[in-house]
Amino acid sequence: MNDASHGKTRFRVGGMDCASCATKIENAVSRLPGITEVGISVSAGTMIVTHQGAVPSAAISKQVKALGYSVAEVGAARTAAPTAHVHEHGPNCSHDHAGHHHASHDHAGHDHGDHSGHDHGAATASVAGAGHDHFDLDDGPWWKSRKAKLTIACGAALVAAYAIGQLLPQIGHWAFLAALAVGLVPVARRAYAGAISGTPFSIETLMTIAAVGAVFIGATEEATMVVLLFLIGELLEGVAARRARASIRGLADLVPKTALVEESGATREIAADALQVGAIMLVRPGDRVAADGVIIDGSSTLDEAPVTGESVPKSKTTGDDVFAGTINTDAVLRVRVTAAAADNTIARVIKLVEEAQESKAPTERFIDRFSRYYTPAVLVVGALVAILPPLVAGGSWEEWIYKGLAILLIGCPCALVISTPAAIAAGLSAGARRGLLLKGGAVFEGMRRVTMVALDKTGTLTEGKPKVTDIIGVGHSETKVLSLAAALETGSSHPLALAILGRAKVDGVPIPPANAAKAIAGKGVTANVGGEEVFLASPGAAEEMAGLSAEQNARIAAFNADGKTVSVLLVDGKVAGILAMRDEPRADAIAALARLKDDGIATVMLTGDNETTAKAIGKGLGINVRAGLMPDDKQRIVRELQKQGQIVAKVGDGINDAPALAAADFGVAMGGGTDVALETADAAILHGRVSDIPDMIALSKSVMGNIAQNITIALGLKAVFLVTTIMGITGLWPAILADTGATVLVTANAMRLLAWRGR
């Protein structure tokens, strides 16, 4: 509902590196009048603000900059984007489902949504906040960032103070105090800004209290070291966040900046983002494809590894789709552009990943709520440890205040708060590089529990287009039969005609010209080829015109039993050959279904196709089949499976499968990344590999395992140091090392997921 009274606006935020940064910004912005919801993605560096009336840009900018970040508005956010706190399961599908299972994939008329506001390139955050110590690490190398300069300055001041302390001991204390001020003043400023904008219990607050307290009990040197360690921890966090961002932005770099366009018989170079739908691109060997399109002339091998992760280059020819970012290796191709820059496969991947990062996982929401109570509780525990032993048991005030301050530092919730979003961001990025898109943390958390995968047949388990599987010559060679059949079908766009022409092209068969070609309704196509009357007929029409032998009828019946469509070639009224065609299973379908079975996940095929064809394909794949289904039948079967206690993932093409995709626990759209498929489902498999389904479930398990490890690291280190501090074994330095160390360990552990490649 993006009307005048209610809108969503996307902002880029610079210098936001950790979950506590996001919490501070969220609290500050959500307090503004007219703001109903704030969704933040640390790893994408974005914020989506839902507001009533016009967006209060100036007020938002003022609040965010006061906290020490840069901010820039980048336009209206898509209303389809999941917000920070809501995971809507399956939209209400208003698609037309009356059509047969072989729904056409013509999306030219689809509205692609408002993408104008999205920036898929480098961060556009203004550096208005550059005067603060938070700075957008994406702008230039990390060591030139404000944060790095502050850390280096604090480190240099500490070294200088140590040297002064050795040479002039009488002023050593003041030298350390000056060094402390270098690091602590910016931190205290941020603590104050956070406190007045709704985040009184931030990590900066704990840090400031602990450092000031340490000065009062004469531990100035330790306080300075603690602040330096804290700044190093923040810097490392920033570098890690930058890596996660770069891995997604790296996708944008796959698309070349320029393209060669044909206009009025001449070619000229234009900016890739200026390519219009329908433009004709020239792609030379060695060039990257600048936009999604369809080949209109030429055949070549394309290296799709950068986009799909597929190591073997693919041969493509006229009529085949090509993706932006893939590399043409062999010959010149002429390609008609089918998607503008903002709508190409890679732009949509980036957009979906960013939207997914803005939607929080249930674990993340729980930890956010937990840390809201946890941080004040840490302050109370620290105060009690400092006050009670001296008051009740006559302990030393200095010793117990020191221990209380150490507990404040141990209690910093940074590592805990970042444990989930860091892993999910890395998982989303790793998946996106393989063409696996999961729309948010809730999908990651649930996908690992799937017990049943229901798959569509056409375009999911099969290629979605028929191929010639068998050619039988009767008194003619197979080559001659194919040549004559291709002559009749030249110029036709019927799927079976394209199958015959495709086979002729692959086999290098010459196609002679056909004269006086005409279609005879319900019977076939006839024409004069090289002086002979040639007719490509249905078996019924061939029987009627020429008669078929018992052996020929038996062959046709066997083909039909295998789910194949049969055409009979007649030359001058006599049977000359038989061609059988079928939509064949994808190359990896058998292995992928076996992997699901090995993982204890059941499978079923739900198809609108006829029983004979479906059973023949199902038998070859070893999968149970439910055939002849309408869209509402598929939805009903999904609901029945759920009633039996199954967690169902429905995989389909996203158009005639939309009701079932919405009804399933997880809807997964298959292949090509069509608009409807990407919008309807909870997840999408862009590159049409059946093996990506078990990979997606495996990725979900890897991410959730990583989150469990992260939470264990964060809480385990705190528990150990809490005990050792109260026992007097460890002090302030180890306490901050425990917190910074936990944050760095958690982030580094999450970053391991970036190397995930699937099986």
Side-chain angles (χ1 to χ4, degrees):
M1 49 180 192
N2 201 3
D3 54 30
S5 67
H6 204 105
K8 288 186 181 185
T9 304
R10 184 184 287 257
F11 292 83
R12 290 258 176 218
V13 181
M16 178 172 61
D17 304 323
C18 65
S20 67
C21 299
T23 306
K24 276 186 296 203
I25 296 169
E26 196 176 319
N27 288 345
V29 175
S30 59
R31 288 160 73 99
L32 293 170
I35 303 295
T36 54
E37 194 162 33
V38 180
I40 291 180
S41 164
V42 174
S43 35
T46 58
M47 168 172 72
I48 285 188
V49 177
T50 309
H51 48 87
Q52 290 169 334
V55 59
S57 294
I60 290 171
S61 180
K62 188 179 174 187
Q63 283 282 58
V64 176
K65 287 173 186 171
L67 293 170
Y69 306 90
S70 59
V71 62
E73 186 181 331
V74 289
R78 280 170 54 189
T79 49
T83 55
H85 304 292
V86 184
H87 175 70
E88 284 223 350
H89 188 83
N92 298 323
C93 304
S94 57
H95 311 297
D96 178 2
H97 308 302
H100 190 263
H101 186 85
H102 297 279
S104 83
H105 291 258
D106 178 13
H107 302 294
H110 278 289
D111 181 311
H112 290 270
D114 171 24
H115 305 298
S116 57
H118 290 279
D119 166 25
H120 300 294
T124 55
S126 71
V127 288
H132 300 281
D133 54 301
H134 260 291
F135 189 75
D136 193 344
L137 280 168
D138 288 353
D139 295 349
W142 66 266
W143 61 85
K144 288 187 180 173
S145 69
R146 204 44 75 149
K147 200 175 268 191
K149 286 174 183 169
L150 177 65
T151 308
I152 293 163
C154 186
L158 180 61
V159 171
Y162 181 76
I164 290 167
Q166 293 297 310
L167 297 170
L168 304 164
Q170 64 275 24
I171 61 163
H173 170 75
W174 299 103
F176 276 107
L177 204 56
L180 174 65
V182 171
L184 187 62
V185 168
V187 174
R189 245 190 19 231
R190 269 159 47 200
Y192 173 73
I196 61 169
S197 62
T199 315
F201 300 116
S202 66
I203 182 164
E204 286 86 359
T205 307
L206 295 182
M207 195 66 234
T208 307
I209 294 169
V212 172
V215 171
F216 279 109
I217 60 167
T220 313
E221 295 92 330
E222 274 194 275
T224 313
M225 190 67 197
V226 162
V227 170
L228 176 63
L229 287 169
F230 171 74
L231 292 174
I232 291 169
E234 281 222 309
L235 179 62
L236 290 171
E237 243 174 52
V239 172
R242 174 199 178 93
R243 263 200 70 192
R245 273 201 276 276
S247 70
I248 293 166
R249 300 258 168 80
L251 290 168
D253 296 335
L254 293 174
V255 182
K257 299 288 178 272
T258 59
L260 280 176
V261 180
E262 273 189 15
E263 285 171 350
S264 325
T267 57
R268 69 186 184 96
E269 193 169 68
I270 66 165
D273 52 15
L275 281 168
Q276 300 290 321
V277 173
I280 306 299
M281 286 189 298
L282 210 63
V283 186
R284 299 164 303 189
D287 284 356
R288 278 188 192 269
V289 180
D292 287 4
V294 62
I295 299 171
I296 56 169
D297 185 31
S299 299
S300 183
T301 307
L302 279 103
D303 178 3
E304 296 191 336
V307 179
T308 67
E310 197 68 71
S311 54
V312 181
K314 272 194 178 172
S315 295
K316 300 217 169 183
T317 186
T318 308
D320 286 340
D321 291 328
V322 293
F323 301 118
T326 55
I327 302 162
N328 180 22
T329 60
D330 293 346
V332 175
L333 295 175
R334 288 174 70 234
V335 176
R336 188 175 67 249
V337 176
T338 55
D343 287 327
N344 72 38
T345 306
I346 287 173
R348 290 215 297 258
V349 168
I350 294 166
K351 198 175 303 165
L352 280 163
V353 171
E354 289 191 349
E355 285 171 6
Q357 288 175 341
E358 280 150 9
S359 92
K360 291 191 179 182
T363 304
E364 190 177 344
R365 289 205 288 267
F366 167 74
I367 286 174
D368 280 353
R369 284 199 303 273
F370 175 73
S371 65
R372 218 165 285 160
Y373 300 107
Y374 169 88
T375 312
V378 166
L379 275 168
V380 171
V381 170
L384 291 175
V385 167
I387 294 165
L388 281 183
L391 282 180
V392 176
S396 154
W397 279 100
E398 192 170 318
E399 180 195 339
W400 286 99
I401 288 173
Y402 182 91
K403 286 180 180 177
L405 295 174
I407 283 167
L408 287 192
L409 297 177
I410 292 164
C412 285
C414 229
L416 185 63
V417 173
I418 205 171
S419 58
T420 303
I424 285 174
L428 285 167
S429 179
R433 288 188 163 274
R434 293 240 340 134
L436 310 179
L437 302 183
L438 291 94
K439 294 188 183 175
V443 185
F444 261 126
E445 291 202 21
M447 191 67 85
R448 69 197 159 128
R449 293 196 294 271
V450 166
T451 58
M452 166 69 76
V453 178
L455 300 110
D456 178 26
K457 179 181 82 73
T458 308
T460 298
L461 284 168
T462 66
E463 295 284 358
K465 50 190 177 195
K467 287 181 176 170
V468 175
T469 55
D470 305 87
I471 304 169
I472 297 169
V474 180
H476 292 71
S477 69
E478 289 179 12
T479 305
K480 178 77 171 170
V481 171
L482 183 58
S483 175
L484 292 172
L488 291 183
E489 297 290 20
T490 299
S492 170
S493 60
H494 189 279
L496 296 179
L498 294 176
I500 290 168
L501 291 166
R503 176 69 183 261
K505 188 154 194 171
V506 168
D507 289 5
V509 170
I511 303 175
N515 302 312
K518 63 176 189 284
I520 300 169
K523 294 189 174 180
V525 189
T526 180
N528 188 291
V529 182
E532 295 177 309
E533 204 58 42
V534 183
F535 186 26
L536 189 62
S538 66
E543 177 70 76
E544 199 180 291
M545 289 188 64
L548 295 168
S549 69
E551 187 197 344
Q552 287 162 355
N553 275 318
R555 295 297 285 272
I556 290 167
F559 287 143
N560 286 333
D562 280 344
K564 295 176 182 177
T565 303
V566 180
S567 293
V568 180
L569 186 77
L570 306 178
V571 176
D572 291 334
K574 291 185 183 135
V575 176
I578 297 170
L579 295 103
M581 287 156 277
R582 188 171 74 173
D583 179 13
E584 288 292 89
R586 292 184 185 272
D588 65 343
I590 292 174
L593 293 173
R595 265 183 65 191
L596 287 169
K597 191 177 175 185
D598 291 345
D599 292 341
I601 297 166
T603 55
V604 63
M605 182 201 291
L606 305 182
T607 178
D609 217 340
N610 68 73
E611 191 107 4
T612 309
T613 305
K615 285 265 166 75
I617 295 281
K619 187 180 174 191
L621 294 174
I623 185 174
N624 293 329
V625 174
R626 305 279 293 270
L629 304 174
M630 294 299 285
D632 52 343
D633 295 326
K634 294 182 185 181
Q635 186 184 42
R636 175 180 50 75
I637 291 166
V638 165
R639 295 210 190 281
E640 282 170 9
L641 290 167
Q642 287 169 324
K643 278 181 189 155
Q644 293 163 20
Q646 303 278 15
I647 308 284
V648 182
K650 171 72 179 79
V651 187
D653 65 10
I655 299 161
N656 54 3
D657 287 299
L661 285 171
D665 296 283
F666 300 99
V668 181
M670 183 79 168
T674 55
D675 290 337
V676 178
L678 290 180
E679 299 298 347
T680 306
D682 299 296
I685 289 167
L686 287 193
H687 306 306
R689 294 179 293 234
V690 186
S691 58
D692 282 349
I693 300 162
D695 269 354
M696 190 176 272
I697 294 168
L699 177 60
S700 161
K701 288 177 177 171
S702 295
V703 169
M704 294 315 294
N706 192 284
I707 288 171
Q709 292 161 9
N710 286 349
I711 292 170
T712 306
I713 291 167
L715 292 178
L717 273 171
K718 287 187 191 312
V720 168
F721 279 90
L722 186 68
V723 172
T724 56
T725 299
I726 289 172
M727 290 171 67
I729 300 167
T730 55
L732 284 178
W733 292 24
I736 193 69
L737 268 176
D739 178 65
T740 301
T743 305
V744 171
L745 281 174
V746 160
T747 309
N749 190 44
M751 290 300 110
R752 285 192 309 117
L753 288 167
L754 290 174
W756 184 89
R757 289 283 173 270
R759 250 191 270 178

